[in-house]
Amino acid sequence: MNRAIKITLSSISLVALLLGTLVLEAGGWEDFKLQYFSLTKHFHDQTQEFDDLRKQNINPKENTRIDLTQLLDGGPPKDGIPSVDNPRFDTAETTPFDQDELVIGVVVNGEAKAYPYGIMNWHEIVNDTVGGTNLTVTYCPLCDTIVVFERGNTTYGVSGKLYQSCLVMYDRADDTLYAQPWALGIVGANVNRSLNRLPAVKTTLGDWLAEHPDSKILSTDTGYSRNYMDYPYGNYYTNEELVFPVRNQDELTLHPKAIISYVWKSDEQTPKNRFSGANHQFPHQEIERVGTKVVDFNDRQIRARWDDKLETVIVEELDGTRIPSSTAFAFVYPAFFPE
């Protein structure tokens, strides 16, 4: 074996050893990928979001609700995480998911559908029609936030950007960027527009089907090759680590990944980098313990209650009408709704 080959093999061995050490230090391959995933931004076009706005003679710096330096590159390019635009569905008998699979449950005009986290972790957005209403179902794996809203005749995609470590969506009709936890336009032609949200619930597939046995369940036949039975974020769901910088964490009193539900209603004011309007959070552990909690919200009283059948928090008017809310990791609330 000549000297050049020996040097090459030694170099390969050294790289493999270094990589193995980093993987072990990260806690495993999935955690390693998550910690270093943002480096993939160097291999993709991270300018397309703003370039598409400029093609419409829209200057992002003049049409923004936020400081653009806080809009971070998540790693993938625009649509690098593909939305599901032609969803197919299984039944309770044909779905491959177990009863304990977490799902987003939606009911519109009597039609029930469930969107498994196993699919949402990989796609984040599903453009669908439920009960005759065109809607978009969104989920951010980094925040555990769920927002479902009417989409009209357009569809929404994953921009590849993050704001406070959370999903930034875009409207394919005009390329406006939306901060998912606010359901609010933050950059583009429709900056400051609030999306019309619909109630959705985070529960398990088994509990959902017990309430809605005829529910359709999003199929793994998405047109993409993904391991939908594998959680791609390592230990992220339960550890204390955040991958991207997030503001106002000194206000946090809970474990950063504790589950809360929050409600919000924006007003007509448009302060930079901040939400304006009414908002309130309900830690799930607290509501499960007390059962029901009534609070003042937007000039009226509303109620949060623990639903024993769905094992989650339901937010509603005092007459029982559901109010759109979102679950979230606890760190999200001070980042988007600071004191």
Side-chain angles (χ1 to χ4, degrees):
M1 185 180 299
N2 63 42
R3 187 168 181 272
I5 294 177
K6 289 181 179 179
I7 292 175
T8 299
L9 292 176
S10 297
S11 299
I12 293 173
S13 298
L14 182 61
V15 170
L17 179 62
L18 178 60
L19 179 61
T21 301
L22 290 174
V23 170
L24 287 174
E25 290 179 350
W29 178 244
E30 297 295 349
D31 290 291
F32 171 80
K33 288 193 296 182
L34 182 62
Q35 290 182 24
Y36 294 97
F37 191 64
S38 63
L39 295 178
T40 61
K41 66 184 180 183
H42 298 295
F43 303 99
H44 301 296
D45 179 7
Q46 301 292 333
T47 65
Q48 185 179 349
E49 297 83 2
F50 289 170
D51 287 345
D52 288 342
L53 290 172
R54 294 187 183 102
K55 291 175 183 176
Q56 304 173 55
N57 295 317
I58 296 172
N59 186 338
K61 293 182 180 179
E62 296 175 356
N63 295 269
T64 181
R65 175 72 171 259
I66 65 170
D67 181 347
L68 295 182
T69 61
Q70 296 185 21
L71 196 63
L72 304 182
D73 299 328
K78 190 175 185 178
D79 288 320
I81 296 175
S83 61
V84 178
D85 299 329
N86 296 290
R88 298 183 178 184
F89 291 87
D90 291 320
T91 65
E93 291 73 29
T94 61
T95 181
F97 291 102
D98 295 332
Q99 296 291 291
D100 60 355
E101 173 74 16
L102 289 173
V103 299
I104 300 169
V106 178
V107 179
V108 180
N109 296 327
E111 183 178 19
K113 289 188 177 183
Y115 303 83
Y117 273 36
I119 300 175
M120 301 304 293
N121 281 327
W122 293 93
H123 294 284
E124 304 187 9
I125 292 177
V126 178
N127 293 293
D128 197 8
T129 300
V130 183
T133 298
N134 291 341
L135 53 75
T136 296
V137 179
T138 68
Y139 175 68
C140 178
L142 295 182
C143 296
D144 204 45
T145 40
I146 294 168
V147 178
V148 177
F149 56 89
E150 294 184 11
R151 63 179 173 85
N153 294 321
T154 186
T155 61
Y156 286 75
V158 181
S159 73
K161 302 296 186 187
L162 296 172
Y163 181 60
Q164 304 306 320
S165 192
C166 290
L167 167 65
V168 175
M169 316 172 293
Y170 80 96
D171 183 347
R172 292 195 173 109
D174 60 18
D175 294 297
T176 297
L177 301 178
Y178 287 82
Q180 186 241 16
W182 282 339
L184 185 72
I186 54 173
V187 185
N190 274 315
V191 65
N192 299 316
R193 174 195 175 211
S194 290
L195 298 168
N196 187 24
R197 293 175 285 121
L198 300 171
V201 65
K202 171 187 176 180
T203 185
T204 64
L205 179 59
D207 288 341
W208 180 254
L209 289 174
E211 290 285 287
H212 306 280
D214 295 327
S215 175
K216 298 176 182 177
I217 305 157
L218 183 63
S219 170
T220 57
D221 183 11
T222 62
Y224 299 95
S225 179
R226 303 288 190 275
N227 184 357
Y228 295 121
M229 303 302 154
D230 176 54
Y231 177 65
Y233 292 93
N235 295 317
Y236 180 81
Y237 199 84
T238 55
N239 66 29
E240 296 189 1
E241 302 299 320
L242 302 182
V243 181
F244 295 87
V246 179
R247 64 189 175 191
N248 302 326
Q249 293 307 287
D250 57 331
E251 299 179 14
L252 190 62
T253 59
L254 302 169
H255 186 290
K257 305 294 177 58
I259 304 301
I260 67 163
S261 285
Y262 69 91
V263 289
W264 72 109
K265 176 68 175 178
S266 61
D267 58 24
E268 298 303 315
Q269 300 182 56
T270 59
K272 195 78 169 286
N273 290 322
R274 292 192 298 110
F275 179 82
S276 182
N279 56 89
H280 199 92
Q281 69 167 329
F282 303 98
H284 279 214
Q285 189 174 26
E286 175 192 351
I287 302 303
E288 184 178 12
R289 184 180 72 252
V290 302
T292 301
K293 186 174 184 178
V294 175
V295 301
D296 293 324
F297 175 77
N298 205 29
D299 298 325
R300 69 189 192 279
Q301 288 192 315
I302 63 172
R303 175 175 57 224
R305 62 176 175 84
W306 184 255
D307 189 305
D308 287 323
K309 293 181 178 179
L310 294 175
E311 296 186 83
T312 193
V313 169
I314 301 295
V315 186
E316 58 192 14
E317 305 286 357
L318 297 186
D319 66 3
T321 303
R322 289 280 304 278
I323 298 172
S325 63
S326 176
T327 56
F329 289 135
F331 80 82
V332 174
Y333 192 74
F336 284 86
F337 306 96
E339 294 179 358

